[in-house]
Amino acid sequence: MKDVCIIGGSRYFGKRLIVLLRDAGIDVTVVNRGSSSPPPGITHLIADRDDEEGFERALADRAFDVVIDQVCYTPLQAAAAQRLFRDRTRRYVMTSTIEVYGPAGSDGIPPASPGTPVTEEAVDPKLWPVRTDLPWRDPRFLERHYGEGKRQAEAVLAQGAVFPFAAVRCAHVLGGGADDFTGRLDHYVQRILTGGEIVVHRESRPSTFIHEREIADFLFWAAGSDFVGAVNACSHGELDVTDICAQIAAHGTAQPIYRTVDSGGGEDAEVSPFSFEHYYGMDNTLAGRLGFTFSNTMDWFPGVVAEAVAVRGGAGR
């Protein structure tokens, strides 16, 4: 692997992945809309992936050993990627999501049972139906159907088979301090430290997680591997919202104040992040068999919390 193209993903764990590839002596090309620049030593192409002609002009005659697609959200984007990279790469890795296992938006996903982590076979991209007629370009529709968009994007790339394709189904990513890119962990830190209310499902379910450094390591490893198909990427061990809050509360005298809401009414926009009414435990056995060794969540989660508390506590004193 000498030449890698990364679509999007020049922030958060994507930036860490770029540095890992660059420091390994790999020529890295990043293609994004120009809102953020990659680190030094990286070829930067500016293009909007939804402008297929402009994207093709930006690529010119370049070809790559591997493409890592960090921002493929719809079957339309996946189909365009097939056309653009059909003769430009020998391997295509898509960063997918744990949300492909979420039952919201599809009758074809039965809710997983707590205590039985879901395996890759639960959603087979080679068999999943594709609906390109849906309004995928409508941001509101896409936001409501994020998991389905990812499922169908995987399906297009798997069923087209114009290049070897792997889908990395990434668990919920956590990082502390400056690495809390989404602000979801800080949501809890801020409320617990200030005595604010935390809204959770009455029966909140656990999920699997992964550290932002570990997912960067996993994508680096996946790019250099030769497996195809979907693979789950998560640390060992699960957390629910009370586990997260308990770790934060352990760093001070304040205790979380919960307000519970009933499940069953669909996704409640008021509910805090990481409070899930459906179980989101993933089985990472396949990745282990393929040769990647994951950490245990509690090996790194307390440190992430300590960083997040230090940032918020320092800012408030």
Side-chain angles (χ1 to χ4, degrees):
M1 177 171 74
K2 296 180 180 179
D3 299 282
V4 172
C5 175
I6 298 178
I7 305 174
S10 57
R11 297 181 292 179
Y12 200 25
F13 63 82
K15 184 175 182 179
R16 196 174 296 277
L17 171 62
I18 291 168
V19 171
L20 286 173
L21 291 163
R22 181 200 65 186
D23 291 353
I26 296 167
D27 291 331
V28 182
T29 298
V30 170
V31 188
N32 63 25
R33 291 179 297 180
S35 58
S36 59
S37 299
I42 305 300
T43 299
H44 186 198
L45 306 179
I46 297 177
D48 185 338
R49 73 169 306 144
D50 292 321
D51 175 7
E52 189 172 342
E53 291 184 359
F55 201 107
E56 187 171 22
R57 286 195 300 271
L59 289 174
D61 60 352
R62 293 176 175 86
F64 310 94
D65 295 318
V66 183
V67 173
I68 303 174
D69 194 340
Q70 296 271 61
V71 288
C72 188
Y73 300 116
T74 74
L76 301 181
Q77 292 174 336
Q82 281 187 324
R83 293 188 291 269
L84 287 166
F85 289 98
R86 175 185 295 271
D87 299 315
R88 284 189 169 96
T89 190
R90 294 196 290 264
R91 179 168 175 76
Y92 203 95
V93 177
M94 171 187 159
T95 303
S96 191
T97 173
I98 192 173
E99 297 293 339
V100 301
Y101 300 120
S106 174
D107 295 333
I109 306 291
S113 300
T116 306
V118 67
T119 63
E120 292 82 358
E121 289 79 8
V123 177
D124 186 345
K126 290 186 177 180
L127 301 177
W128 196 261
V130 175
R131 292 281 310 278
T132 56
D133 59 312
L134 296 175
W136 293 114
R137 291 189 175 89
D138 181 344
R140 292 171 298 178
F141 178 86
L142 182 56
E143 183 178 5
R144 292 194 303 269
H145 298 85
Y146 172 72
E148 180 63 16
K150 284 288 194 178
R151 285 189 287 262
Q152 293 195 27
E154 284 188 23
V156 168
L157 292 165
Q159 294 169 22
V162 300
F163 34 56
F165 166 67
V168 174
R169 292 173 177 170
C170 176
H172 300 289
V173 181
L174 286 175
D179 293 324
D180 182 20
F181 178 76
T182 65
R184 292 174 180 174
L185 186 59
D186 184 62
H187 171 94
Y188 294 102
V189 171
Q190 187 270 337
R191 280 160 177 75
I192 290 173
L193 294 184
T194 61
E197 188 176 73
I198 299 170
V199 183
V200 299
H201 293 103
R202 193 173 303 280
E203 296 183 11
S204 187
R205 305 297 188 185
S207 179
T208 41
F209 293 83
I210 193 166
H211 192 278
E212 55 97 16
R213 293 187 184 91
E214 190 164 39
I215 188 57
D217 290 341
F218 187 86
L219 288 167
F220 177 90
W221 170 82
S225 301
D226 58 5
F227 71 88
V228 294
V231 62
N232 293 338
C234 60
S235 300
H236 299 293
E238 301 171 354
L239 301 170
D240 66 20
V241 65
T242 60
D243 297 323
I244 293 171
C245 291
Q247 281 290 323
I248 297 168
H251 286 268
T253 57
Q255 293 298 310
I257 301 171
Y258 296 113
R259 177 166 67 86
T260 58
V261 295
D262 291 321
S263 301
E267 295 298 326
D268 189 331
E270 188 181 22
V271 174
S272 298
F274 304 139
S275 176
F276 303 110
E277 59 180 336
H278 302 291
Y279 174 61
Y280 277 96
M282 290 198 302
D283 186 310
N284 60 17
T285 301
L286 174 58
R289 288 203 306 265
L290 292 170
F292 190 88
T293 301
F294 287 103
S295 68
N296 291 300
T297 302
M298 291 308 295
D299 290 342
W300 53 261
F301 183 61
V304 164
V305 169
E307 293 174 25
V309 170
V311 168
R312 174 59 67 172
R317 291 175 184 170

